[in-house]
């Protein structure tokens, strides 16, 4: 199932678009660093969309209207784009292929890595985690009934309970996942 | 007057050395060395600082031999346009040869400043081993080092005062490089690591900051979060120059008040930068230091204009402001009325490729120019301009020494009259007699170059893009501009005639860069033939190890870099570069 979903995602990636990308467009969060960041974004998108004109620019749904960007000229406007932004572009290119985060589970001897892009929502994520860590848990049906809570570390370094924010917001801010024992999770607000 | 020491021997050498020590400017010392052989030798032995504007202009061993007692050296490598990815990445600018020569000849070296050079870990390791009095390492816009090299510096340079990595790309290789500063190391005055992408061990950093009680400058990288900034500030309230890490977190009242008190305890703070990804809720924590700030860099803070305006309006003593165009004309109006001591303004585009309208226009520039009588240096990105606005700037800021205007779309005319911006820029060069640096943009004909050539007597550096009608434009520049040292041109219809007619001028300049112009290989061959003291480098990244010799004279050169040198052809050209 995972294979067909990513094929689907790849098809979407080559689809010509004008205007606002839809909610299920293959998005990645735009780097906030202003100088050169858009070039990194554009470069990554060029990799995804071979053969389309350079003037198409994809962006996250944070942006407003999407007029056709003018054709980009190398080195213009003359804003310093450090090599580190090309380093970020390399990282972004790697991440564009998938949003891999580490998953740790209390008591498990090793960690796993999953690609968040592959899942359509929280339900699929929980099922996948359940399958992955089945041998370490006595059942993880739903979050409330089980002895484990799924938490994640966000961009600011805070540990949050999975499920509170919209899925898209979650995958754009999730850095890693941790499956905690309920007993350790006291003090966490329970999901509504 | 007898040569070789005749009248120079009237006084002992030490007396002359003492006299020469009052000459700070390199130009003056150079002049002294031309007077007679005696003075040449006394001067060269007593020279303590040298500045090498182009690392290929002289061979390292020759420089070291001529000035055996240098303590401070600055060297620059790649051409300026390397910042915008116009120079092939393997072009050169290697520091190895220099560091090797210095290790041999200058054991007492104290300071090394490198800009736009390729530095390796081996260089840093050699450096750390070779100079026992080493105090200052400043690498700006460099690349090639990793944290392993930094670890070597930290471990071995016992008296290190400054480690400044401004805009230098550092690969990660040794995660605990900061821990290599020994416990006994307390001499740091400047630690600037803002460009480091990777995490640092913040506990180690806190301990280092605590024990370096003379620390005046601390520039953190993005990896240092807001709450750890509080701890660091509490340990170093004597800081004068701070670069924060990321300035974003969920709003928590107790963190805010801790941050605010931490800033309030920094009574000496003069300059602030970083503030990466600032959220408006935390900006007021900075207010306690605003009054004392002379320099503020908000280029990494894409906060809304209103929040920025509130912050900047409190900085009554600001001399330098770097900000993004989200501050808008309104924000600049507030700057003009609050920051009367402003000398330098830089406004960068937050979203250069998007078409999001930002209300930053020529009005913002004019308001600051009229409101800030001490304005000397401007770098301004915008999307529209008028000749009238430029006239106003020329009138209100005749003391400008640096004026760099970048209108984002090439060939943009005066949007009201639809005329070229020739008249506006001409007014600037005619009024600003001390102008040393100029970048032009927008729709420009050869007329503006006639004015620049004729009026810009102090101009040392000129940057031109998408401008001019014909060779005459380049000819005006090269036959005028008495003080020109660096000229960089891209995408202009300039070609062979002007270049060859002004070949001699090129030897009076440090360098010339021309890319995407109409220069032919034949002209380059002629130029190289006529001027043996110039290196004429042609570049074509599609050509790798191909034979330039067989190319016909009429083929156009994509990138050309010409510089004067006494070192002859360099030996480290990559395949895409050919010294004609």
């Amino acid at each position: 199932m995972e294979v067909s979903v990513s094929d689907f995602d790849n098809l979407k990636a080559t689809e010509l678009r004008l205007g606002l990308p839809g909610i299920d467009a293959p998005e990645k969060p735009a780097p906030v660093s202003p100088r050169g960041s858009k070039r990194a974004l554009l470069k990554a998108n060029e990799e995804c969309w071979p053969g389309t004109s350079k003037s198409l620019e994809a962006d996250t749904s944070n942006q407003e209207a999407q007029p056709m960007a003018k054709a980009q000229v190398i080195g213009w406007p003359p804003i310093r784009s450090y090599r580190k932004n090309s380093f970020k572009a390399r990282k972004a290119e790697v991440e564009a292929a998938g949003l891999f985060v580490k998953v740790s589970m209390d008591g498990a001897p090793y960690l796993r890595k999953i690609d968040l892009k592959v899942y359509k929502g929280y339900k699929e994520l929980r099922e996948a985690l359940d399958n992955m860590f089945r041998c370490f848990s006595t059942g993880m049906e739903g979050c409330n009934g089980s002895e484990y809570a799924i938490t994640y570390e966000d961009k600011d370094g805070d540990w949050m309970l999975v499920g509170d924010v919209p899925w898209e917001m979650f995958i754009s801010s999730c850095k890693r996942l941790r499956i905690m024992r309920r007993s350790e999770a006291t003090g966490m607000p329970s999901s509504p | 007057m007898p040569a070789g020491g005749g009248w120079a021997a009237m006084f002992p050498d030490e007396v002359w050395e003492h006299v020469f020590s009052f000459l700070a400017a390199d130009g003056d010392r150079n002049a002294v060395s031309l007077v007679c052989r005696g003075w040449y030798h006394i001067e060269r032995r007593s020279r303590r600082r040298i500045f090498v504007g182009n690392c290929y202009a002289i061979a390292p061993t020759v420089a070291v031999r001529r000035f055996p007692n240098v303590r401070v050296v600055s060297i620059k490598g790649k051409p300026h346009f390397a910042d915008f990815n116009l120079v092939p990445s393997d072009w050169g600018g290697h520091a190895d040869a220099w560091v090797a020569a210095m290790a041999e000849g200058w054991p007492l070296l104290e300071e090394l400043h490198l800009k736009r050079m390729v530095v390796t870990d081996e260089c840093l390791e050699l450096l750390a081993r070779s100079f026992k009095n080493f105090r200052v390492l400043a690498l700006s816009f460099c690349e090639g080092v990793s944290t392993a090299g930094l670890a070597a510096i930290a471990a071995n340079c016992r008296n290190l005062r400054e480690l400044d990595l401004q805009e230098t790309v550092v690969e990660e290789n040794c995660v605990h490089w900061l821990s290599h500063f020994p416990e006994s190391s307390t001499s740091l005055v400047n630690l600037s690591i803002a460009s480091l992408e990777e995490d640092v061990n913040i506990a180690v950093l806190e301990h280092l900051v605590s024990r370096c009680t003379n620390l005046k400058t601390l520039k953190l990288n993005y990896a240092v979060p807001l709450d750890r900034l509080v701890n660091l500030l509490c340990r170093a309230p004597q800081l004068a120059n701070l670069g924060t890490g990321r300035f974003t977190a969920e709003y928590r009242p107790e963190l805010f008040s801790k941050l605010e008190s931490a800033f309030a305890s920094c009574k000496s703070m003069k300059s602030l930068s970083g503030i990466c990804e600032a959220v408006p809720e935390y900006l007021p924590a900075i207010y306690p230091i605003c009054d004392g700030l002379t320099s503020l860099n908000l280029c990494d803070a894409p906060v809304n204009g209103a929040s920025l305006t509130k912050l900047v309006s409190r900085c009554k003593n600001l001399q330098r402001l770097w900000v993004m165009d989200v501050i808008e004309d309104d924000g600049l109006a507030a700057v003009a009325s609050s920051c009367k001591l402003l000398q330098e303004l830089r406004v960068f585009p937050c979203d250069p490729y998007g078409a999001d309208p930002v209300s930053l226009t020529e009005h913002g520039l004019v308001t600051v120019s009229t409101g800030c009588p001490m304005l000397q240096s401007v770098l301004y990105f915008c999307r529209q301009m008028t000749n009238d606005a430029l006239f106003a700037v020329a009138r209100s800021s005749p003391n400008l020494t640096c004026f760099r205007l970048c209108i984002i779309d090439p060939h943009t005319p005066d949007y009201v009259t639809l005329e070229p911006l020739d008249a506006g820029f001409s007014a600037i060069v005619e009024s600003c007699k001390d102008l040393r640096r100029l970048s032009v943009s927008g729709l420009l004909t050869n007329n503006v170059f006639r004015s620049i050539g004729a009026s810009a007597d102090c101009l040392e550096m000129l940057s031109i893009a998408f401008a001019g009608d014909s060779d005459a434009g380049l000819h005006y520049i090269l036959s005028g501009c008495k003080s020109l040292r660096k000229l960089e041109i891209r995408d202009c219809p300039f070609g062979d005639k002007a270049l060859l007619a002004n070949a001699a001028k090129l030897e009076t300049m440090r360098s010339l860069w021309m890319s995407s112009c109409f220069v032919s290989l034949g002209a380059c061959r002629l130029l190289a033939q006529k001027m043996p003291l110039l290196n004429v480098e042609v570049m074509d990244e599609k050509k790798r190890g191909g034979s330039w010799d067989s190319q016909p004279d009429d083929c156009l050169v994509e990138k050309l870099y010409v510089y004067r040198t006494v070192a002859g052809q360099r030996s480290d050209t990559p395949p895409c570069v050919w010294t004609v």
Side-chain angles (χ1 to χ4, degrees):
Chain A
M1 186 177 76
E2 285 174 13
V3 170
S4 66
V5 168
S6 47
D7 271 350
F8 182 63
D9 272 351
N10 284 338
L11 262 181
K12 283 216 151 216
T14 56
E15 190 184 339
L16 261 181
R17 273 181 207 277
L18 289 176
L20 271 172
I23 193 81
D24 53 356
E27 293 167 352
K28 56 189 188 307
V32 182
S33 155
R35 285 177 279 164
S37 64
K38 289 295 178 181
R39 187 178 298 125
L41 200 56
L42 184 70
K43 193 161 175 281
N45 286 330
E46 281 179 331
E47 309 280 296
C48 285
W49 297 6
T52 64
S53 104
K54 258 205 220 172
S55 57
L56 272 172
E57 186 183 69
D59 217 331
T60 67
S61 55
N62 291 333
Q63 286 237 291
E64 299 276 345
Q66 291 278 310
M68 291 268 268
K70 305 233 173 68
Q72 305 296 330
V73 178
I74 272 205
W76 191 262
I79 309 160
R80 173 163 163 70
S81 86
Y82 338 125
R83 287 289 151 72
K84 88 175 185 190
N85 269 352
S86 66
F87 180 60
K88 276 200 182 117
R90 273 183 269 136
K91 267 192 180 160
E93 282 164 20
V94 165
E95 284 167 9
L99 205 61
F100 284 92
V101 297
K102 288 184 189 168
V103 187
S104 63
M105 174 158 172
D106 292 355
Y110 49 79
L111 280 62
R112 302 294 302 267
K113 244 192 177 163
I114 58 169
D115 179 359
L116 290 178
K117 285 239 168 88
V118 151
Y119 308 110
K120 291 226 203 60
Y122 288 117
K123 182 160 172 303
E124 277 192 20
L125 175 66
R126 284 187 218 283
E127 281 168 6
L129 289 176
D130 185 26
N131 279 330
M132 217 178 247
F133 288 96
R134 188 186 298 275
C135 43
F136 300 121
S137 82
T138 55
M140 277 178 35
E141 300 304 317
C143 201
N144 284 329
S146 81
E147 57 177 281
Y148 287 92
I150 312 180
T151 62
Y152 71 99
E153 184 185 10
D154 74 358
K155 278 198 291 229
D156 297 325
D158 298 319
W159 283 94
M160 320 281 289
L161 189 69
V162 161
D164 287 337
V165 301
W167 175 251
E168 297 301 334
M169 196 188 293
F170 163 68
I171 60 172
S172 71
S173 62
C174 171
K175 276 175 50 178
R176 56 183 301 169
L177 286 163
R178 178 182 164 200
I179 305 171
M180 294 174 81
R181 291 201 175 83
R182 272 269 161 207
S183 51
E184 282 186 38
T186 55
M188 286 277 224
S190 50
S191 32
Chain B
M1 203 171 302
W7 63 272
M10 259 197 277
F11 296 117
D13 288 0
E14 294 76 22
V15 173
W16 291 121
E17 277 182 29
H18 184 67
V19 170
F20 297 162
S21 70
F22 291 98
L23 298 171
D26 284 342
D28 292 338
R29 293 197 72 118
N30 292 347
V32 153
S33 67
L34 292 174
V35 168
C36 66
R37 201 181 286 274
W39 275 21
Y40 171 84
H41 287 295
I42 297 168
E43 192 284 316
R44 77 179 187 88
R45 283 194 293 262
S46 59
R47 179 108 55 140
R48 288 280 182 268
R49 326 173 69 98
I50 66 166
F51 168 75
V52 181
N54 174 3
C55 63
Y56 292 119
I58 184 168
T61 44
V62 172
V64 169
R65 205 169 41 233
R66 174 167 171 188
F67 301 109
N69 293 309
V70 163
R71 301 281 184 270
V72 176
V73 61
S74 291
I75 312 173
K76 291 186 173 183
K78 301 191 194 193
H80 173 234
F81 273 178
D83 288 356
F84 318 127
N85 296 339
L86 288 178
V87 177
S89 56
D90 52 356
W91 175 81
H94 301 283
D96 309 58
W98 280 93
V99 176
M102 295 189 286
E104 279 270 336
W106 291 337
L108 297 177
L109 188 71
E110 293 173 6
E111 299 186 20
L112 178 62
H113 302 252
L114 300 178
K115 186 166 184 181
R116 285 194 198 95
M117 295 195 72
V118 178
V119 189
T120 59
D121 288 342
E122 288 73 30
C123 274
L124 293 189
E125 281 154 20
L126 180 57
L127 209 154
R129 283 200 304 273
S130 312
F131 308 117
K132 60 179 172 51
N133 291 343
F134 200 69
R135 300 186 333 186
V136 172
L137 178 63
L139 302 178
S140 67
F141 298 78
C142 294
E143 57 180 355
V145 290
S146 79
T147 42
L150 299 184
I153 297 287
N156 297 304
C157 299
R158 290 297 148 90
N159 299 310
L160 194 69
R161 302 257 177 95
E162 297 190 26
L163 178 60
D164 189 336
L165 301 174
Q166 184 196 6
E167 306 273 1
T168 286
V169 180
V170 179
E171 303 291 339
E172 185 181 7
N173 198 347
C174 164
V175 184
H176 301 293
W177 70 274
L178 260 187
S179 315
H180 287 249
F181 279 106
E183 274 302 312
S184 54
S185 160
T186 57
S187 50
L188 273 180
V189 169
N190 175 351
L191 180 64
S192 295
I193 54 171
S195 62
L196 246 57
E197 295 230 317
E198 316 299 339
D199 292 345
V200 285
N201 186 326
I202 302 186
V204 170
L205 179 61
E206 283 172 6
H207 190 40
L208 182 62
V209 166
S210 294
R211 66 184 190 271
C212 295
T213 50
N214 291 321
L215 196 68
K216 285 281 177 303
T217 301
L218 179 64
K219 299 200 177 164
L220 305 166
N221 64 344
Y222 183 83
V224 178
L226 208 49
D227 53 330
R228 304 307 285 269
L229 173 65
V230 173
N231 296 350
L232 288 162
L233 285 181
C234 291
R235 283 168 167 71
Q238 77 283 0
L239 281 179
N241 307 301
L242 173 69
T244 73
R246 62 180 183 275
F247 214 77
T248 177
E250 251 175 52
Y251 183 75
R252 301 196 300 265
E254 82 288 357
L255 176 54
F256 179 91
S257 62
K258 278 199 220 156
L259 189 60
E260 196 185 31
S261 326
F263 273 113
S265 67
C266 295
K267 307 278 184 220
S268 313
M269 199 69 82
K270 288 259 159 292
S271 117
L272 183 64
S273 62
I275 328 272
C276 306
E277 293 178 16
V279 285
E281 294 77 36
Y282 279 107
L283 282 184
I286 300 177
Y287 291 176
I289 56 166
C290 284
D291 219 35
L293 281 184
T294 56
S295 166
L296 181 57
N297 181 345
L298 296 168
C299 288
D300 290 311
V303 197
N304 65 78
S307 302
L308 287 181
T309 304
K310 276 199 223 128
L311 177 64
V312 178
S313 308
R314 304 172 98 94
C315 301
K316 309 266 183 252
N317 290 306
L318 213 54
Q319 294 171 15
R320 173 161 65 176
L321 175 64
W322 293 19
V323 74
M324 284 204 281
D325 59 3
V326 287
I327 196 173
E328 300 192 337
D329 287 344
D330 286 345
L332 288 181
V335 170
S337 60
S338 313
C339 310
K340 291 301 185 189
L341 301 178
L342 195 70
Q343 296 175 15
E344 178 180 332
L345 174 70
R346 293 195 190 189
V347 179
F348 294 95
C350 185
D351 184 15
Y353 306 106
D356 279 358
V358 162
S359 297
L360 181 100
T361 67
E362 75 279 13
H363 296 299
L365 176 60
V366 172
T367 333
V368 174
S369 167
T370 9
C372 301
M374 307 185 56
L375 194 66
Q376 282 187 336
S377 172
V378 170
L379 168 57
Y380 200 77
F381 281 81
C382 59
R383 293 182 193 278
Q384 64 185 50
M385 189 50 58
T386 60
N387 282 309
D388 280 346
L390 291 173
F391 295 152
V393 172
R395 259 195 319 271
S396 312
S397 305
N399 297 324
L400 284 178
T401 54
C402 169
F403 187 69
R404 296 156 73 186
L405 179 66
C406 179
I407 304 166
I408 290 182
D409 282 342
H411 310 299
T412 305
D414 177 323
Y415 74 94
V416 170
T417 64
L418 297 183
E419 286 178 359
L421 292 169
D422 296 341
F425 278 107
S426 301
I428 298 271
V429 293
E430 282 155 22
S431 162
C432 305
K433 305 274 183 230
D434 298 323
L435 198 67
R436 290 203 291 273
R437 185 166 179 183
L438 177 67
S439 302
V440 297
S441 59
L443 181 65
L444 294 168
T445 71
N446 282 347
N447 290 331
V448 72
F449 300 118
R450 192 188 298 126
S451 306
I452 296 176
S455 307
D457 288 342
C458 293
L459 194 66
E460 295 177 1
M461 180 167 179
L462 178 60
S463 310
I464 310 174
F466 303 103
D469 315 307
S470 71
D471 250 17
L474 179 58
H475 177 69
Y476 289 135
I477 299 291
L478 289 178
S479 57
C481 293
K482 302 204 279 244
S483 310
L484 197 64
R485 291 192 298 118
K486 288 185 283 183
L487 180 59
E488 45 184 30
I489 303 174
R490 61 163 296 174
D491 292 276
C492 295
F494 299 153
D496 301 346
K497 275 203 337 228
L499 203 55
L500 290 173
N502 294 285
K505 170 80 167 181
L506 297 179
E507 227 180 70
T508 68
M509 292 166 50
R510 185 190 297 170
S511 65
L512 166 69
W513 169 279
M514 288 179 75
S515 56
S516 307
C517 296
F518 296 150
V519 180
S520 73
L521 191 53
C524 295
R525 287 179 169 131
L526 266 174
L527 184 62
Q529 219 173 41
K530 265 172 83 162
M531 312 289 303
L533 287 178
L534 293 180
N535 274 358
V536 177
E537 292 187 7
V538 301
M539 300 172 223
D540 183 348
E541 276 157 292
K542 294 186 286 296
K543 189 179 303 305
R544 301 253 151 212
S547 53
W548 286 93
D549 286 328
S550 58
Q551 294 290 317
D553 275 351
D554 61 1
C555 94
L556 280 186
V557 162
E558 179 55 30
K559 297 180 184 182
L560 170 68
Y561 188 51
V562 180
Y563 55 90
R564 68 177 173 191
T565 178
V566 295
Q569 286 202 14
R570 59 182 172 116
S571 52
D572 60 358
T573 45
C576 63
V577 176
W578 182 44
T579 311
V580 179

